[in-house]
Amino acid sequence: MNQEKKQNLIRNFCIIAHIDHGKSTLSDRFLEITGTIEKRKMQEQLLDTMSLERERGITIKMQPVRMDYKHTDGNDYILNLIDTPGHVDFSYEVSRSIAAVEGVILLVDATKGMQAQTLAVLEQAQKQNLVIITAVNKIDLPNAMPQEVKKEISNLLAIEESEIFEISGKTGVGVKELLSEVIRKVPAPTGKEDAPLKALVFDSIFDSFKGVIANVRIMEGSVKKHERIRFMVQKSDAEVLECGSFKPNLVERAEILTGEIGYIATGLKEIGSVRVGDTITSSKNPALEILSGYKMVQPVVFASLFPQDADDHELLRDGLLKLRLNDSSLSFEPEQSEAFGRGFRCGFLGMLHMDILRERLKREFNIEPLITIPSVSYNVKLKNGGDRLVYSPAQMPDPTQIDEGQEPYVKLEIMTRSEYMGGIMSLLDNARGVYKDTQYLTAEKILLLYEAPLSEIIIDFFDDLKSITSGYASLNYELIGFKKADLVRLDILVAGEQVEALSRVVVKEQANEVGKFMVLKLKDIIPRQLFSISLQAAIGGKIVAREDISAMRKDVTGYLYGGDVTRKNKLLDKQKKGKKKMKASGKVNIPPEVYFKVLKK
Ligand code: GDP
Ligand code: MG
């Protein structure tokens, strides 16, 4: 078959759904129907490869799959499906996978309805003029409300309810029809075959034998084994060691053609050398323009990691390096702390991202580092000109050098029921949120738009939101830039000594309150010692809050019954001396979890 005819039979699509709405389960059914995986080899949620994903039931890393499908219309189609991550921390990955396809399936749980993050992804798909096919899932469940959910979708997207599919990924009802609709409605790719190679990198993985493997969509031209290729943004060259398709495991082919989705193994040893969103072209016959939409992903949440035992420093470094091979959005640099010795300052895309890293270090490397309080990165304009990015309190310049402090802000979209509007509004007042707009999606369902400082959103906000709304709220946020803020450094002194890892950068108007909260909280979570401990919060040397943890008095005289007062006093004296000695030796033993817990309400 000639190439043009073949390109006409390609359909590239992905599934957009909120976490748990059934994306992976639906993908499983597609794999079965197309015979890509034999039924007896089928495991549930096959495309979620990380054990962590299976356990938490969320998709972290996308896994593309090519399905060859003989349709009842007599044609042999190539269906490339990309399963997208659903969480806001990974929204850039979502945007790149959307850029790699011509159509999407919007999947909505019939018991839950539309969610804020899904809407955000959907907006990206609309912006790129993708064909959107909608389906209400889980109609087998007794509490499914397909009619209501269809009404909601129809209002949101301005489409007819009759165009919305009703399916069950679990039982398979309606799934074949949905796949036929994908073939009918999603356009075939249109790239020029004889143009110089242009391939969009929408993901990358690391393989210890094949090096960095770029997951690509060929937009124009084609790519062959042994060809020299160039990463246009990174301005680096490599050789195609191998290329091929995802079935879903890697299956080698001599060439990948225009319109196809596949992989290119590069042999490169650094995952950072291949960036999501980059354009691959041919070194010999390079394309003139880079594909649009490339973005350097910036970490938004920072925290320091220290080994609990100084001897484990190398182990931690090794673990981080290995994890970064599969996670190019993880960044870290060495850090030295008086209290904890040598560690690493790490940057994350969000709290979930950080949590996943912590969990993976534990599972895959058996390391449980101490993790300090997460913080956003601030921008400080200096009096002598120039900006400084501050992502650790130690980097905060002296107040006399600061011309203006700035903190990152986000645009927030909260989808909920109108009855919870009041509660959410007061929650956002406390989070320094600025109200923007309310949109009514249906009579009961609303979309609230706010702007708020990112620092208010990263710790407890989502948990608070869930409890206020009994779980009936979903949240999406997007960075919109920096805004002026009066920043100060808040220090915590335990038994008179500043504990570096508890220092934070905060906005001035909240500093006293945060200081009070932290010492109160520390009083609760630092275990009592044999001597009393003072807890102080200080701003620029001025104490703004104080609490004391009273001494734990071990009853050393307990076994002496009877009235020998002198012996009793002697023992108490001895105890006093011992406490003094301990106090003099200075160290208050602060268990590692304290640093993480101190901010949680
Ligand atoms: P994802 O997070 O969107 O990938 O969702 P999953 O495919 O992992 O599904 C989330 C949960 O919903 C799992 O427990 C599935 O078994 C369940 N589920 C998915 N589709 C259906 C369905 O059509 N009917 C029912 N009853 N359960 C489903
Ligand atoms: Mg999934």
Side-chain angles (χ1 to χ4, degrees), residues 230-236 275 277-279 290-291 294:
R230 174 166 305 155
F231 294 89
M232 295 181 81
V233 174
Q234 286 279 86
K235 298 192 174 56
S236 60
R275 293 238 170 92
D278 204 341
T279 303
I290 295 175
L291 295 164
Y294 176 79

Side-chain angles (χ1 to χ4, degrees), residues 19-20 22-25 45 47-48 53 57-60 83-84:
I19 293 168
D20 276 352
K23 220 170 23 188
S24 304
T25 307
Q45 283 113 43
L47 298 182
D48 291 344
E53 294 184 312
I58 56 171
T59 303
I60 296 161
D83 185 27
T84 58

Side-chain angles (χ1 to χ4, degrees), residues 459-471:
I459 312 270
D460 274 330
F461 187 82
F462 190 54
D463 289 341
D464 291 349
L465 184 67
K466 270 197 301 201
S467 67
I468 283 179
T469 60
S470 325

